[in-house]
Amino acid sequence: MLKLFRSAASIAALILGIAGVFLVLYAWRLPPFTGTVQTTDNAYVRGQVTIISPQLAGYLAEVAVQDFQHVKAGQVLVKIDDRIFEQKLQQAKATLASQQAALANSEQKRRSDEARIASSKAQVDSAKAALTAAEANWKRIEPLLERGVTTQSQADQARASLDQATAALHQADAAEEVARQDLTSTLVNRQSLEAAVQSAEAAVHLAEIDLQNTRIVAPQDGRLGEVGARVGQYVAAGTQLMALVPEKVWVIANFKETQLAGMKVGQPVTFTVDALQHAELTGHIERFSPAAGSEFSVLRADNATGNFTKVAQRVPVRIAIDPNQPLAERLAPGMSVIVSADTSTAASDVPATGTAPGATPPAQVSEQ
């Protein structure tokens, strides 16, 4: 009887041991219990968190929003005291007006130089006419002087008139050349004045941009995090004032590399959200990370030194959340989720919007 009892106890212990092994294999989804649904709890809701910072330094004159407030694109969040920047704009406008006046004066000088050239040309023509008359007079008197018909005094006077007319023509030519050089100088100086006007206009635009940047606005629709800005606070360029979280979110699931074999872009997934009492939502695989998460680590492990223990790496998988799900509006970046992906979906049933590890990439991939 005792022997029979010991035999039954041994059989029961053996059965319990085998059941325990199978239970462990089932819990870890190891053969023969490997299924088509891959699950991971290393998954979180993600979103684009934008840090709002000023481009200028100054004192905050107004904080128009509160913690966790919903804002629209273009809505004023914070105002910096703009009195200094307003005066800089007025100063830049005054400089621009001065440069424009100098350019206008250059234009007037150009016209004056052109008029001087015209006047010099007229003087040259007049000098040429006087020279022609003097030459004709000399040609008449010179033969008469040789025959003794005229006096030496009249001949000397005619010769002097000819010399004076020649000198006057040279003087008129020189005056015309001076007028032309003055016009060239004016035109060259005008280019410098035009550049000065353009520089002054750019300074005005920069001052206008600085004045506009005293009003810090929301870059897009979303909700604010904690607002750290305070009225009267002095801020420098780059000071973190608050964070803006847009409405669009997605899920990043870090699957083990051993779970990726049957995954494809477009496959349906389900995920439960811890913060929503494990409510179940749906989505689909959008794209795969180009490398394992360890490759993006700041401190990467060096497996070439010391003893080596193989550890299954995790590859981030981006999951798009299907629309028309009321609970999806309550998702916020950072929430923990549990993702389950069905790897039995046929390749023909999935849209080609991304690339799985080791697969041929499609012609075009939509980007977020």
Side-chain angles (χ1 to χ4, degrees):
M1 185 67 181
L2 182 59
K3 184 177 181 181
L4 181 61
F5 177 77
R6 289 179 178 177
S7 177
S10 300
I11 294 174
L14 179 61
I15 293 175
L16 289 176
I18 294 174
V21 170
F22 276 96
L23 182 62
V24 171
L25 294 176
Y26 175 80
W28 287 88
R29 293 293 188 268
L30 296 175
F33 298 104
T34 53
T36 61
V37 177
Q38 301 295 339
T39 303
T40 181
D41 58 357
N42 190 344
Y44 305 90
V45 180
R46 290 287 184 260
Q48 295 177 338
V49 180
T50 303
I51 302 299
I52 306 298
S53 301
Q55 298 185 37
L56 307 171
Y59 290 94
L60 298 185
E62 179 184 354
V63 179
V65 292
Q66 298 178 351
D67 297 344
F68 315 137
Q69 179 178 337
H70 187 276
V71 295
K72 295 291 185 180
Q75 180 177 341
V76 176
L77 306 178
V78 175
K79 291 183 180 179
I80 298 177
D81 186 0
D82 62 354
R83 292 175 298 174
I84 295 177
F85 301 99
E86 179 66 33
Q87 293 305 312
K88 287 184 177 180
L89 176 58
Q90 297 302 324
Q91 184 181 25
K93 288 182 177 180
T95 302
L96 175 60
S98 175
Q99 296 295 340
Q100 289 175 337
L103 181 60
N105 183 59
S106 174
E107 176 64 19
Q108 184 62 34
K109 189 174 184 304
R110 180 187 66 80
R111 295 176 182 177
S112 177
D113 291 339
E114 290 176 348
R116 285 179 56 195
I117 291 176
S119 176
S120 298
K121 287 182 178 180
Q123 291 178 1
V124 169
D125 294 339
S126 176
K128 287 181 178 180
L131 178 60
T132 301
E135 288 177 344
N137 187 38
W138 170 251
K139 288 179 180 179
R140 286 193 303 270
I141 292 178
E142 186 178 14
L144 296 177
L145 179 63
E146 293 176 352
R147 294 197 300 268
V149 177
T150 186
T151 63
Q152 184 64 41
S153 175
Q154 291 178 338
D156 292 343
Q157 186 177 2
R159 182 64 187 177
S161 297
L162 177 59
D163 293 340
Q164 288 177 354
T166 302
L169 178 58
H170 292 164
Q171 184 179 8
D173 288 336
E176 182 183 3
E177 182 62 24
V178 170
R180 292 184 182 278
Q181 293 300 325
D182 288 343
L183 177 60
T184 302
S185 177
T186 300
L187 295 177
V188 172
N189 186 51
R190 180 180 177 83
Q191 296 178 356
S192 175
L193 294 175
E194 289 176 346
V197 169
Q198 293 176 357
S199 177
E201 290 176 345
V204 170
H205 293 326
L206 288 175
E208 290 174 345
I209 292 174
D210 286 343
L211 184 59
Q212 293 173 359
N213 286 337
T214 59
R215 300 171 68 257
I216 303 174
V217 300
Q220 56 183 318
D221 296 350
R223 295 181 62 185
L224 299 176
E226 292 187 9
V227 179
R230 300 292 182 268
V231 174
Q233 176 185 358
Y234 181 82
V235 296
T239 301
Q240 296 185 6
L241 302 179
M242 63 194 74
L244 174 66
V245 182
E247 297 176 353
K248 185 174 182 179
V249 295
W250 57 91
V251 172
I252 296 296
N254 300 299
F255 284 98
K256 292 181 180 180
E257 55 186 331
T258 55
Q259 296 178 289
L260 300 177
M263 291 188 184
K264 308 177 187 66
V265 172
Q267 282 181 332
V269 300
T270 60
F271 60 93
T272 58
V273 186
D274 296 357
L276 302 180
Q277 297 181 345
H278 301 283
E280 184 176 285
L281 288 86
T282 62
H284 61 274
I285 296 177
E286 189 173 19
R287 62 179 69 95
F288 294 84
S289 171
S294 59
E295 293 298 308
F296 301 106
S297 175
V298 177
L299 300 177
R300 296 174 57 186
D302 186 359
N303 295 328
T305 60
N307 296 327
F308 170 71
T309 301
K310 184 176 181 179
V311 178
Q313 300 297 309
R314 291 187 178 268
V315 177
V317 178
R318 175 165 169 150
I319 297 172
I321 301 172
D322 292 338
N324 301 325
Q325 298 184 88
L327 291 179
E329 299 178 357
R330 300 176 59 183
L331 296 177
M335 287 184 175
S336 299
V337 298
I338 299 176
V339 177
S340 298
D342 186 2
T343 61
S344 64
T345 305
S348 58
D349 297 334
V350 298
T353 58
T355 306
T360 302
Q364 184 177 2
V365 179
S366 60
E367 291 293 338
Q368 167 60 32

